Amino acid sequence: MEPSIAEENVPEVGTAYVVCSMSDIPSQRARGFELMKVEDGVEKPFNLIVVRWGRQVFGYVNLCPHDGVKLDWERNQFLDPNGIRLMCGKHGALFELGTGVCIDGPCKGRSLTSVALSVIDNDICVTGVTLAEEEEDEDEEITSCSDEGGGV
């Protein structure tokens, strides 16, 4: 599923871009997304980690604060062997799921960069950034977020 802009501005979160459905990420798992964001009119890579824990979702930029490498050592492998912390596949640094704070490893005390997420109509949406969107085919339906259906 490609990210889509919400057709309405959601008052609590501003413009929201659908990243995926809640059902696309099982509870107590994490998934990576390689997106593009727009900053100062320029498109730049935006690598996102989404962690789902029940109805809660947490978002982080997929970069270890130690030296800027991606956390996943294999595609979508972000969690430690116990499944309770994010782990850098290169250095073994461990990060709390809910805060992104490194609790063990070469970047202890530093944090992952958080990304604002909201759950809107059972979709996980990123807010606070402008995502670049691919041009849509005329037949393709636009996915939108609204402020109905609750959230995190």
Side-chain angles (χ1 to χ4, degrees), residues 58-145:
F58 308 100
Y60 301 101
V61 173
N62 187 4
L63 288 176
C64 180
H66 177 235
D67 70 356
V69 298
K70 290 183 179 181
L71 267 61
D72 46 337
W73 58 97
E74 288 183 24
R75 185 168 172 79
N76 290 318
Q77 297 297 315
F78 295 100
L79 301 179
D80 69 353
N82 296 322
I84 59 171
R85 306 244 192 283
L86 291 168
M87 185 172 93
C88 177
K90 184 172 182 183
H91 307 104
L94 296 174
F95 302 88
E96 292 181 340
L97 294 178
T99 65
V101 172
C102 182
I103 58 167
D104 190 32
C107 51
K108 188 174 182 175
R110 295 173 65 192
S111 297
L112 298 171
T113 302
S114 65
V115 175
L117 299 177
S118 294
V119 177
I120 305 170
D121 289 341
N122 217 36
D123 287 324
I124 299 172
C125 302
V126 64
T127 61
V129 297
T130 301
L131 295 183
E133 296 185 83
E134 292 185 12
E135 291 182 22
E136 298 190 26
D137 296 333
E138 289 181 23
D139 297 334
E140 190 173 327
E141 184 179 324
I142 296 175
T143 304
S144 66
C145 291

Side-chain angles (χ1 to χ4, degrees), residues 27-77:
S27 183
Q28 301 181 10
R29 297 282 189 258
R31 182 172 167 198
F33 296 89
E34 293 181 358
L35 308 172
M36 296 293 286
K37 67 179 177 177
V38 178
E39 281 185 3
D40 301 322
V42 178
E43 291 186 11
K44 298 178 179 181
F46 182 61
N47 296 309
L48 173 66
I49 302 168
V50 176
V51 179
R52 178 175 170 219
W53 207 267
R55 293 288 303 163
Q56 291 186 310
V57 292
F58 308 100
Y60 301 101
V61 173
N62 187 4
L63 288 176
C64 180
H66 177 235
D67 70 356
V69 298
K70 290 183 179 181
L71 267 61
D72 46 337
W73 58 97
E74 288 183 24
R75 185 168 172 79
N76 290 318
Q77 297 297 315

